[in-house]
Amino acid sequence: MPDAAVELERASADIPLTRDARDILERASAAAKGRGESASPTDVLEATLHDRGTLAVDTIRALGIDPAAIAAQVQAPNDGTAPPAISLRQLLVNANREAQVLGHYQVDSIHLLLAMLYSDSPTTSAVLQKAGVTLYDVRRHLQTGRAISSMPAQTPRSRPPDAALRRRPLPSLRGAVSVSPVFVAILGATAFAGALLWFDVLPGLAGPLTIIFVTAGWITSLCVHEFGHALIAYLGGDRSVAASGYLTLNPLRYTNILLSLVMPILFLLLGGIGLPGGAVYINRPALRSRTWDTAVSLAGPAGTLLCGLLVAIPFLIPGMSVLSIAQHIAFFEAIAFLGFIEAIALVLNLVPIPGLDGFGALRPWLPSSLQDAAVRYGQLGIIGVFIVLWFVPSVSNAFFGFVLQLTDLERIPRLLIALGQAHMQLR
């Protein structure tokens, strides 16, 4: 005889269960195990009727029937003439079918009750029907809040009993999220270059090491940024991001490597500007609501903010003196410039221009015509932003002045940012 927990896991494979349903099935399996048998629908019915406060028991009471009276009939001695019971797996398949037909996302105690009213479970359907419980009455009450079909029409409740079951539950992240070896390698390169700068092992190579440290650190933060988008999209209903590999932190899974990775790195090396970079395709129609859509757009900048705060930690440590910084000057120059780049990326991403996350957060709330135009001309919006930053000094000065104010709040010295930027020049 298999362990009760193992039996239940096998029977419920690929069937989402609420906590109430799982509790009932665990008790039914444990009771059957005590007899040295597999759990049957009768065991499930007994466990259901004794589980107070569930939707199944509340529905039986609403139909004017005493659950204890039904339980007494179930517990009556078996005379050996009862037909063979269906398996626990088949009962759960029937319950899952009921949940799908009713538009519910998980199997609850009420679906177990409905499945036990099926004709292929005669040991339970006979008892329930004799007590006055029918499929029609249970479904009617579940969806409308009305009691029994013979009663006069009532005004439906503003919130039907199955309202909670119609809310799609957050998916489990187990098996969906992983860390790719590519991300580990990039993170390792960042840490290795940072260690060499800190210990000043190769003083003559401060420039190349700074380039490696800042570039690898920037790619790391870009991965975190895009992971933020993908994670919230997955929780919000878009399962395609997992199949696309966006939850692995692997930058090679982005939709366009040239535009998503190569170009941002070149801009970083040539101009010291952190392009938004990265690109994960989100199936936005699959998201639960406009609020989730907005959250998906804001999750990327939230990841960039987190990375920026982590980079600023060395400057925020109480007691960090000028002497301590001077002893590891190459490291602090590099990390100061990386913090500056993170602040640029954060501000830039939040600009409400089509193609950037700031506009993405507003887009779901705009008229459809504006949304369509934004999708069509989004890339032009990004290009326009960079043309303005590059060729309009007044806008550029205001933008970078604001970014420096943010790094001031992180206590990153502007002199170290300038020295770090000087090391980034390709010679």
Side-chain angles (χ1 to χ4, degrees):
M1 172 66 193
D3 180 81
V6 174
E7 179 190 22
L8 176 56
E9 289 304 318
R10 289 175 180 172
S12 61
D14 303 323
I15 296 179
L17 302 173
T18 64
R19 183 67 261 176
D20 284 348
R22 185 166 291 278
D23 287 344
I24 289 170
L25 293 170
E26 286 176 352
R27 285 197 300 275
S29 297
K33 184 177 181 293
R35 302 192 308 269
E37 300 175 357
S38 296
S40 68
T42 301
D43 295 307
V44 176
L45 180 56
E46 289 183 356
T48 300
L49 294 172
H50 287 89
D51 195 350
R52 300 291 183 262
T54 64
L55 185 53
V57 169
D58 289 346
T59 299
I60 291 174
R61 288 200 179 105
L63 298 177
I65 302 167
D66 182 8
I70 303 176
Q73 296 298 317
V74 175
Q75 295 168 356
N78 192 333
D79 59 6
T81 61
I86 61 173
S87 66
L88 182 61
R89 173 64 183 178
Q90 185 57 50
L91 180 72
L92 287 175
V93 169
N94 292 344
N96 192 42
R97 184 183 299 118
E98 280 292 325
Q100 293 174 347
V101 169
L102 293 168
H104 301 156
Y105 291 100
Q106 290 179 291
V107 169
D108 187 58
S109 63
I110 193 68
H111 306 113
L112 296 177
L113 179 64
L114 288 165
M116 287 184 284
L117 283 163
Y118 278 27
S119 59
D120 60 357
S121 180
T123 56
T124 55
S125 61
V127 174
L128 290 168
Q129 290 176 15
K130 182 179 179 180
V133 182
T134 68
L135 279 168
Y136 176 79
D137 288 336
V138 172
R139 288 171 180 155
R140 176 185 174 88
H141 178 267
L142 184 62
Q143 295 182 294
T144 68
R146 298 176 183 175
I148 57 176
S149 57
S150 60
M151 292 182 62
Q154 304 172 23
T155 302
R157 297 180 184 179
S158 58
R159 187 174 185 274
D162 70 339
L165 295 173
R166 292 183 178 277
R167 292 197 298 266
R168 186 181 301 175
L170 292 178
S172 171
L173 294 176
R174 181 181 301 176
V177 176
S178 62
V179 179
S180 83
V182 176
F183 178 78
V184 174
I186 296 170
L187 189 61
T190 307
F192 183 69
L196 292 178
L197 288 169
W198 176 269
F199 293 107
D200 199 20
V201 176
L202 301 170
L205 297 177
L209 288 175
T210 298
I211 291 175
I212 294 173
F213 176 79
V214 173
T215 303
W218 166 242
I219 297 174
T220 299
S221 69
L222 189 150
C223 294
V224 173
H225 178 105
E226 298 304 328
F227 177 82
H229 286 312
L231 177 63
I232 301 304
Y234 182 80
L235 294 175
D238 179 12
R239 304 294 187 269
S240 68
V241 294
S244 298
Y246 299 150
L247 295 177
T248 64
L249 291 161
N250 184 352
L252 300 181
R253 302 305 296 267
Y254 297 154
T255 54
N256 189 314
I257 296 299
L258 177 63
L259 296 177
S260 302
L261 201 59
V262 177
M263 292 300 294
I265 292 175
L266 288 178
F267 265 76
L268 176 63
L269 296 176
L270 296 175
I273 296 179
L275 284 175
V280 295
Y281 173 76
I282 305 297
N283 181 17
R284 296 190 180 273
L287 299 175
R288 301 167 188 269
S289 64
R290 291 187 294 178
T291 302
W292 277 99
D293 201 337
T294 294
V296 168
S297 294
L298 294 178
T304 301
L305 175 62
L306 175 62
C307 291
L309 293 175
L310 290 175
V311 167
I313 286 177
F315 301 99
L316 298 173
I317 296 176
M320 180 62 68
S321 64
V322 175
L323 179 60
S324 299
I325 293 176
Q327 291 174 340
H328 307 282
I329 187 64
F331 171 80
F332 280 99
E333 289 172 354
I335 201 169
F337 184 65
L338 179 57
F340 178 63
I341 293 299
E342 296 293 346
I344 290 176
L346 176 63
V347 176
L348 199 55
N349 270 288
L350 291 176
V351 173
I353 295 294
L356 298 174
D357 291 330
F359 182 83
L362 299 175
R363 184 193 56 77
W365 309 92
L366 299 176
S368 299
S369 57
L370 290 180
Q371 294 188 37
D372 293 340
V375 171
R376 190 176 301 113
Y377 303 111
Q379 292 299 321
L380 294 178
I382 296 177
I383 294 172
V385 168
F386 283 100
I387 290 176
V388 171
L389 287 177
W390 210 276
F391 296 105
V392 183
S394 59
V395 176
S396 178
N397 292 336
F399 175 82
F400 287 107
F402 179 71
V403 171
L404 286 171
Q405 290 180 13
L406 293 182
T407 55
D408 288 343
L409 293 176
E410 296 177 313
R411 297 171 58 183
I412 301 177
R414 297 189 181 191
L415 176 60
L416 291 182
I417 293 174
L419 293 173
Q421 186 173 23
H423 284 306
M424 289 292 294
Q425 302 302 315
L426 293 175
R427 296 181 176 87

